[in-house]
Amino acid sequence: EKVPTSDMTKGEEFKKELDTFLLKGVTHIMYDNVRNKIDSSVLAQALTTGRHSGRVLGGHTYFDVPVRCLIACTGNNVQVSDEIGRRVLRIRINTNYEHPELRKDFKIDKIDDWIEINGWSVVKASLVLVQNWIVKGCPKFTRRVLGSFNNWSEIIGGVLECAGIEGFLEDYELTREALVGDEFELWVRFFNLWMLQHPNRGCSIPELLDIGRSDPEIALYFCQGNDEHTRVIKFGHKIKSYLGRIVTMPDGRKLSIQKYRGSDGMKYTL
């Protein structure tokens, strides 16, 4: 299924789209020309757990289906949230042309037509690579394994390594940094402010929101909402999404957010 110009964010419409495609059992979902930053806990959960659940539109029937399809998107300098960043791999096309739409020196001209005729040969070549890996005893790739995607990393990396194709996942950190953009840097800055202003005590979400507001760029990204209640709720979701995650600071310190219940409510500390 090809989805033109979809908003892959937290919106309900995106979830409805995903519900429809996965219930149909499609093998590929392509979100074309993505403009918004990809930030969806629904998508993150589907990619990690391999399952997706919800309610059938217009009824009260609930469903739970496996996620067996390839989910891809295209766009110019696509940005993703940190949550999505560790769940995706980037394929970057750089033509070195100022106006790539005017390029003519293609190795294969009209590639869509070529695939229609020669697609079988691409599939055959892929199967030969897999068969080569099987004949060699299915060795696992161990140099780099992505958490929550262990089997995928070991198998795909093993297939490529047996074929003499080097470089699998070697630039993962660089590509993730490019995808996530400034979000991680803003978390580091926020952690620095937190340590400076309240180094030895737990803080409530409203107190942490005040810390964020002390930096204009952090405030612009983290402290959004039409009223104070909405801002507290949204900022609380961001804090909770980072619970227990390790952040390495420029000076080498490793920090993470922890929570505990205080006498006057839930508190968060570094």
Side-chain angles (χ1 to χ4, degrees):
E1 295 285 346
K2 188 173 182 179
V3 188
T5 318
S6 180
D7 181 0
M8 298 179 71
T9 61
K10 298 174 182 176
E12 189 63 27
E13 283 305 310
F14 172 69
K15 184 182 183 306
K16 290 177 183 177
E17 281 181 355
L18 199 58
D19 289 349
T20 301
F21 295 140
L22 295 180
L23 277 172
K24 286 172 64 177
V26 299
T27 57
H28 298 74
I29 305 175
M30 169 67 80
Y31 291 94
D32 192 30
N33 195 26
V34 172
R35 299 194 183 106
N36 302 81
K37 184 174 186 177
I38 303 174
D39 183 9
S40 168
S41 58
V42 172
L43 178 61
Q45 183 179 32
L47 292 173
T48 305
T49 65
R51 301 201 67 83
H52 181 71
S53 59
R55 189 176 67 182
V56 177
L57 273 175
H60 300 286
T61 303
Y62 284 85
F63 66 86
D64 183 80
V65 294
V67 180
R68 302 294 188 200
C69 60
L70 171 69
I71 300 177
C73 71
T74 66
N76 292 314
N77 297 316
V78 175
Q79 295 287 291
V80 304
S81 68
D82 189 53
E83 182 182 31
I84 295 294
R86 75 175 193 87
R87 294 169 165 85
V88 300
L89 291 178
R90 181 179 72 159
I91 300 172
R92 184 166 178 80
I93 301 174
N94 188 349
T95 64
N96 291 319
Y97 279 78
E98 183 178 0
H99 298 288
E101 70 275 10
L102 301 178
R103 180 184 170 195
K104 295 181 179 179
D105 58 333
F106 294 103
K107 185 175 181 179
I108 299 176
D109 194 26
K110 299 180 180 178
I111 193 167
D112 289 346
D113 295 338
W114 185 90
I115 284 292
E116 285 286 338
I117 300 170
N118 301 284
W120 64 271
S121 64
V122 178
V123 174
K124 179 182 177 182
S126 302
L127 293 176
V128 168
L129 292 180
V130 175
Q131 186 61 33
N132 175 60
W133 173 70
I134 292 172
V135 168
K136 292 181 178 179
C138 304
K140 294 180 178 179
F141 183 79
T142 57
R143 274 189 260 167
R144 170 66 62 85
V145 176
L146 297 185
S148 302
F149 301 96
N150 302 58
N151 288 338
W152 179 86
S153 303
E154 292 170 350
I155 293 172
I156 298 300
V159 170
L160 296 174
E161 195 169 47
C162 283
I165 301 172
E166 301 293 332
F168 180 61
L169 296 180
E170 281 186 3
D171 63 347
Y172 175 72
E173 284 86 0
L174 291 175
T175 56
R176 180 178 175 181
E177 183 179 327
L179 286 167
V180 173
D182 297 332
E183 181 177 344
F184 183 76
E185 180 187 339
L186 290 175
W187 276 107
V188 171
R189 284 165 59 176
F190 174 69
F191 278 20
N192 266 326
L193 289 172
W194 187 348
M195 291 295 288
L196 287 171
Q197 297 182 31
H198 301 290
N200 298 311
R201 75 174 183 87
C203 298
S204 65
I205 293 297
E207 288 175 321
L208 295 177
L209 182 61
D210 286 338
I211 295 173
R213 276 194 280 237
S214 65
D215 182 305
E217 289 190 46
I218 294 175
L220 183 65
Y221 182 77
F222 288 142
C223 311
Q224 299 176 350
N226 295 326
D227 53 68
E228 187 66 5
H229 176 71
T230 302
R231 286 189 284 271
V232 169
I233 294 297
K234 288 187 173 183
F235 191 70
H237 288 322
K238 289 187 179 295
I239 291 294
K240 291 168 188 175
S241 74
Y242 250 69
L243 277 176
R245 297 178 65 174
I246 304 296
V247 173
T248 302
M249 306 298 283
D251 61 5
R253 288 178 300 167
K254 294 184 183 296
L255 302 178
S256 69
I257 301 175
Q258 304 297 325
K259 71 174 182 178
Y260 65 91
R261 186 168 295 280
S263 58
D264 55 346
M266 196 63 70
K267 299 289 185 179
Y268 299 84
T269 185
L270 284 177

